[in-house]
Amino acid sequence: MGILVGIDGTGSAFLPGAGRDQEYDVAFANSFVKRICNAGGTNSRYFRGPVALGGGLVPAINDAFTFISQTKNRGVSEPVLLTGYSRGAAGVVSLAKKLKNARIDVQAMLLFDCVDRHLFIDAEIIPDNVKYVHHVIRDPASSSRESFGNDGLLYYKGKTNYPAAYKFLCTHGGMGGCPWTPGPGQLMSDLINEGGVDGATTITFQQDANVSTQIWAFCQAFINTHGFMR
């Protein structure tokens, strides 16, 4: 098994704390990053994503770096594997850069809809200490979270194996394994409205659930090839 670190997406709360963590764990109970880390073996570590405005992401990156460094220092020679969703995906790109500076290679990186929504993190380019990248992103035709630009789309050609960023027609939530569910009076055939500045999407609740399942299936070959799960 590898040394696996995952950083999940952004929660809805604005302040950290035990109450926020409880709410977060319910909302992200079935997230792809959590599923992977929970089945990743003894050298795996899962980190909750940041609060709504991004606070907590930098500490998660630093704690993840410490975990990997200490695991390596214990003599564990397994390859480093990274996964992340949304801002958490940007976090693991930043983590990979810290690992490069420490001369630690990353065997594989699995990103779920990496977004550029943090002032203090530059996740535009995948560093060249990462050997393999698998990145799934939402199709712009979904009209989901149109205010969220994607990050982690560039890389060092010839050093990193990164075939493409694969597009899926579902919401940003569905991309991370947290598809939307209907509220009171809503049907699975209704279109999802994400509220706020983004508003209406072109995706129904049923489509979001179906495509989210397809994304998980699509990633299995990469997950199995690089040993993300036991």
Side-chain angles (χ1 to χ4, degrees), residues 123-146:
E124 182 180 11
I125 302 174
I126 306 293
D128 59 6
N129 62 322
V130 181
K131 190 171 183 181
Y132 295 96
V133 179
H134 191 75
H135 191 184
V136 291
I137 63 175
R138 67 200 182 283
D139 192 314
S142 69
S143 297
S144 174
R145 297 303 183 199
E146 292 175 296

Side-chain angles (χ1 to χ4, degrees), residues 1-4 39-43 76-79 81 227-230:
M1 297 302 300
I3 302 170
L4 170 63
T42 56
N43 294 317
V76 178
S77 59
E78 297 298 322
L81 307 172
F228 277 81
M229 299 173 72
R230 288 178 292 189

Side-chain angles (χ1 to χ4, degrees), residues 28-60:
F28 287 81
N30 295 310
S31 78
F32 295 149
V33 171
K34 193 163 194 176
R35 290 188 225 176
I36 291 168
C37 291
N38 283 349
T42 56
N43 294 317
S44 174
R45 182 67 59 87
Y46 171 81
F47 292 91
R48 297 182 184 91
V51 295
L53 297 180
L57 183 56
V58 172

